[in-house]
Amino acid sequence: MKQQEVLFQYLLRLGDTNLILGHRLSELCGHGPVLEEDIALTNIALDLIGQSRILLSYAAKAEGQGRTEDDLAYLRDVGQFRNLLLAEVPNGDFAVTICRLFLYSAYTCELLTLLCDSKDEYLAGYAAKALKEATYHLRHSTNWMVRLGDGTAESHHRLQTALNRLWMYIPELFDGDAIDVQLQETGIAPDPNVLKEKWNTRVNAVLAEATLNRPPDQWMGKGGRDGIHTEHLGFILAELQYLQRAYPGNQW
Amino acid sequence: MDIGILEKGFQQHVDAEKKIEAKDWMPEKYRNTLIRQISQHAHSEVVGMLPEANWITRAPSLRRKVALLAKVQDEAGHGLYLYSAAETLGAERADLVEALNDGSAKYSSIFNYPTLTWADIGAIGWLVDGAAIINQVMLQRTSYGPYSRAMIRICKEESFHQRQGYEMMLTLCNGSPEQKAMAQDALNRWWWPSLMMFGPTDKDSPNSALSMKWKIKRKSNDELRQDFVDNSVPQAKILGITIPDPDLKWNEERGHYDFGTIDWEEFYNVIKGNGPCNRQRVEARKTAWEKGRWVRDAAVAYADKKKNKEKDAA
């Protein structure tokens, strides 16, 4: 694959994951367990969608077909989305919402730290900005992981259940393919194996503090980065893209 | 001290345009009126998140989505300041939330109407935030210090929201015929409920006189409503859409627009809980609160554990 095409695909993976997770969190706006948390989750949704705009705009530029961030977000169908499956998982209870955010933020914090040294200057600049936000997402979700894990018997049980449920989507985060290899060779993106080690160290420490058991590794749920998604993504896009699909070509 | 002397001193203080602060003496009725008004205002911000949040996941561009999310988040923030302002008067936030959830507390009637199209989000920004600003600009000068200061802060954000809503309407009105029809339909449905936001007519508003005397309010419901109509008519003209009131016309003598009669039966029904979305709105708040109970309990349990550990370590 040509370098620009590889970069385009990589940027879609990053941008789509943030868009879909941001969409999931935005579904909770107005329905948080307490007003302060409503504000915090909305803030995180805003950060993720904001990051996605930067990534999708850059992806469109790398592609060079004259598409925009909105063309990519609103006019692609399920099979063209490249997000991680973890982002699609429904919000469930607050334990699922927080655990999903924690597992993902622990990943993005490591990824963005390494991307700050990317040979792609634009991506490096993006990473430096996004890392500040991701650091807050990780801190916020870590605090809740510990509070819920070491809170009441009920909160502990709910969080352990959420963790067990989400664990199948973790291997996909580190499952490198030809795109990763090519970008790694050119110094644009990091080695997924390095990320995995750092992620494990961080996650294990938080799980221990939260008195949670690390689930055994299992058969992985993957395919998101190749366009094979869960059943949920179709519904997310039906909602997200509704106006653009119902009134094609209009400006809003 | 004689209560009559205290009341006289209080009134003099208010008449001299000085603010009443949390620790100052105040008549019980002043305190209770403010707790009711400020908490209703806080509830309105929080319930008001729902009709707009209804369109966050369907916003038609990423720019609009981010702007709407940020706006709804601002409203949550306004709710927080206002609950805090109510707490300075001795109210407990948990009790106020409980009253909202059990249906005994009121909030602005406007949020009991549904958001059916994307244009409703523009119309809410333009009309509902526009109406709220007229009321809140007045409340910046309210006699109770913490409320006045909260309003100054809130007004800045609200006027931004209003401009944003109007700009959305403008985009629709300059768009395709379908988009313009969507904007007209939204105006048709939101116009009269927006006029109702200012409350009953002055002759049917028994508490108003005392609120004016204490300078909690500085303009009557009808005066504020008139300001709103006068502001909105030229704005609708620029948009090129028609306000759904055949009696609306400029009155040279009064220097104001005359307008038709509000359907007060609808207003009182919505206030009583029979509006199109009253049940859904309260239900949504209650569900969020009940679903969040185990989360709040866990946070308290964890904080207690941590405190005990620190005590043991000391």
Side-chain angles (χ1 to χ4, degrees):
Chain A
M1 244 191 285
K2 278 198 199 135
Q3 183 73 5
Q4 281 309 93
E5 169 62 14
V6 171
L7 182 62
F8 174 63
Q9 290 295 331
Y10 187 72
L11 291 168
L12 286 185
R13 290 175 177 186
L14 301 183
D16 286 348
T17 303
N18 282 354
L19 177 62
I20 299 303
L21 186 58
H23 179 98
R24 278 295 189 217
L25 290 175
S26 79
E27 292 172 349
L28 295 169
C29 184
H31 306 278
V34 63
L35 204 45
E36 285 83 349
E37 193 55 28
D38 224 307
I39 294 174
L41 290 179
T42 304
N43 210 16
I44 295 171
L46 268 168
D47 286 345
L48 290 172
I49 297 173
Q51 291 171 9
S52 156
R53 291 182 68 189
I54 299 172
L55 292 164
L56 292 180
S57 297
Y58 189 39
K61 200 173 153 209
E63 186 196 31
Q65 304 285 327
R67 290 204 275 184
T68 64
E69 59 176 39
D70 283 337
D71 292 335
L72 291 174
Y74 287 87
L75 300 176
R76 281 180 301 151
D77 206 350
V78 173
Q80 280 105 45
F81 267 73
R82 293 288 177 267
N83 58 284
L84 294 166
L85 299 180
L86 180 67
E88 300 168 19
V89 177
N91 291 323
D93 62 4
F94 188 69
V96 174
T97 300
I98 282 298
C99 191
R100 186 187 55 194
L101 179 65
F102 166 71
L103 296 172
Y104 181 64
S105 306
Y107 165 75
T108 48
C109 275
E110 302 303 349
L111 173 66
L112 292 166
T113 302
L114 295 173
L115 279 177
C116 285
D117 297 325
S118 171
K119 288 216 171 102
D120 182 308
E121 270 178 35
Y122 191 88
L123 201 51
Y126 157 78
K129 175 191 177 291
L131 180 58
K132 287 185 198 139
E133 295 170 347
T135 304
Y136 161 69
H137 305 168
L138 179 61
R139 192 173 63 232
H140 185 77
S141 56
T142 298
N143 288 343
W144 273 117
M145 288 294 287
V146 174
R147 266 183 229 131
L148 298 179
D150 195 16
T152 62
E154 181 182 5
S155 68
H156 177 86
H157 174 71
R158 281 176 183 263
L159 189 57
Q160 184 69 58
T161 307
L163 182 66
N164 297 347
R165 170 82 181 73
L166 294 169
W167 203 250
M168 69 177 284
Y169 299 109
I170 297 307
E172 190 187 25
L173 274 54
F174 309 107
D175 182 38
D177 62 7
I179 289 178
D180 292 293
V181 171
Q182 194 170 329
L183 289 176
Q184 192 193 321
E185 281 168 355
T186 46
I188 288 175
D191 177 357
N193 287 313
V194 175
L195 282 179
K196 187 178 180 179
E197 250 174 69
K198 289 172 177 286
W199 185 87
N200 271 326
T201 308
R202 191 189 295 262
V203 167
N204 288 344
V206 174
L207 295 187
E209 197 188 346
T211 70
L212 294 164
N213 294 319
R214 185 181 160 112
D217 288 339
Q218 50 186 279
W219 177 250
M220 65 173 105
K222 67 169 185 177
R225 293 173 314 160
D226 299 317
I228 313 292
H229 291 274
T230 68
E231 290 176 345
H232 304 297
L233 187 62
F235 290 95
I236 291 176
L237 296 186
E239 223 175 308
L240 189 139
Q241 299 179 339
Y242 150 67
L243 278 166
Q244 291 282 354
R245 300 291 191 183
Y247 303 92
N250 285 345
Q251 296 300 311
W252 299 90
Chain B
M1 203 191 285
D2 187 303
I3 195 130
I5 297 172
L6 286 168
E7 274 175 4
K8 202 172 155 202
F10 172 84
Q11 191 63 49
Q12 280 169 350
H13 194 82
V14 169
D15 289 342
E17 296 292 338
K18 288 183 191 151
K19 296 288 177 226
I20 304 297
E21 295 300 333
K23 292 199 168 113
D24 295 344
W25 185 89
M26 61 187 84
E28 269 316 283
K29 185 133 198 255
Y30 178 86
R31 182 185 300 278
N32 292 334
T33 301
L34 274 167
I35 291 176
R36 198 191 67 230
Q37 183 173 333
I38 298 172
S39 63
Q40 280 179 8
H41 196 160
H43 298 329
S44 300
E45 296 283 356
V46 172
V47 176
M49 294 167 73
L50 298 170
E52 291 184 281
N54 185 36
W55 278 89
I56 288 172
T57 56
R58 289 178 290 173
S61 70
L62 295 181
R63 180 174 80 90
R64 292 290 186 203
K65 191 187 289 288
V66 166
L68 182 57
L69 259 171
K71 181 189 175 191
V72 179
Q73 188 193 31
D74 283 347
E75 277 152 18
H78 299 170
L80 269 187
Y81 311 149
L82 288 163
Y83 283 125
S84 304
E87 286 189 316
T88 64
L89 291 157
E92 288 284 340
R93 184 166 138 199
D95 298 336
L96 300 175
V97 170
E98 204 58 52
L100 173 65
N101 291 348
D102 72 20
S104 59
K106 299 275 182 267
Y107 54 86
S108 180
S109 57
I110 194 82
F111 300 118
N112 293 313
Y113 290 85
T115 49
L116 302 178
T117 73
W118 173 250
D120 289 17
I121 301 305
I124 288 180
W126 172 36
L127 299 172
V128 175
D129 291 325
I133 289 167
I134 287 183
N135 196 30
Q136 289 168 3
V137 163
M138 167 191 78
L139 289 171
Q140 290 181 350
R141 299 196 300 123
T142 193
S143 56
Y144 186 57
Y147 192 26
S148 155
R149 289 189 289 274
M151 280 302 123
I152 290 167
R153 197 163 162 185
I154 288 172
C155 268
K156 284 187 194 140
E157 293 180 351
E158 290 289 7
S159 49
F160 176 69
H161 296 164
Q162 202 228 355
R163 280 202 299 279
Q164 199 173 281
Y166 189 72
E167 190 263 325
M168 280 173 60
M169 292 298 277
L170 205 53
T171 305
L172 293 173
C173 291
N174 291 328
S176 69
E178 282 165 316
Q179 285 175 304
K180 190 161 185 184
M182 207 184 262
Q184 178 67 59
D185 166 65
L187 174 57
N188 293 348
R189 283 180 291 107
W190 290 93
W191 176 253
W192 291 105
S194 298
L195 293 190
M196 294 176 197
M197 282 176 72
F198 298 96
T201 57
D202 295 347
K203 68 175 171 39
D204 294 320
S205 183
N207 296 326
S208 281
L210 202 51
S211 282
M212 300 275 259
K213 180 181 164 209
W214 282 336
K215 299 191 193 293
I216 295 175
K217 288 176 69 160
R218 288 165 177 274
K219 280 183 170 187
S220 75
N221 294 355
D222 287 333
E223 284 175 292
L224 293 167
R225 191 166 11 245
Q226 183 71 59
D227 287 349
F228 174 72
V229 173
D230 291 347
N231 285 351
S232 302
V233 174
Q235 292 169 348
K237 270 188 195 141
I238 294 170
L239 293 174
I241 47 181
T242 311
I243 290 175
D245 179 358
D247 297 323
L248 187 75
K249 61 170 184 295
W250 178 252
N251 182 324
E252 195 61 53
E253 208 173 298
R254 292 202 306 124
H256 291 292
Y257 283 93
D258 289 338
F259 54 96
T261 311
I262 290 169
D263 182 351
W264 293 111
E265 196 192 342
E266 176 176 321
F267 172 74
Y268 285 110
N269 260 298
V270 176
I271 294 284
K272 259 189 274 170
N274 299 326
C277 296
N278 293 61
R279 290 167 188 87
Q280 292 93 309
R281 300 290 185 242
V282 173
E283 206 55 50
R285 287 313 314 158
K286 237 162 89 177
T287 305
W289 189 247
E290 277 160 18
K291 272 170 124 180
R293 189 178 306 279
W294 70 269
V295 178
R296 298 189 300 273
D297 289 349
V300 172
Y302 177 75
D304 287 347
K305 272 191 207 174
K306 211 174 156 194
K307 219 183 290 162
N308 287 337
K309 267 186 211 156
E310 277 161 14
K311 219 186 282 166
D312 290 347

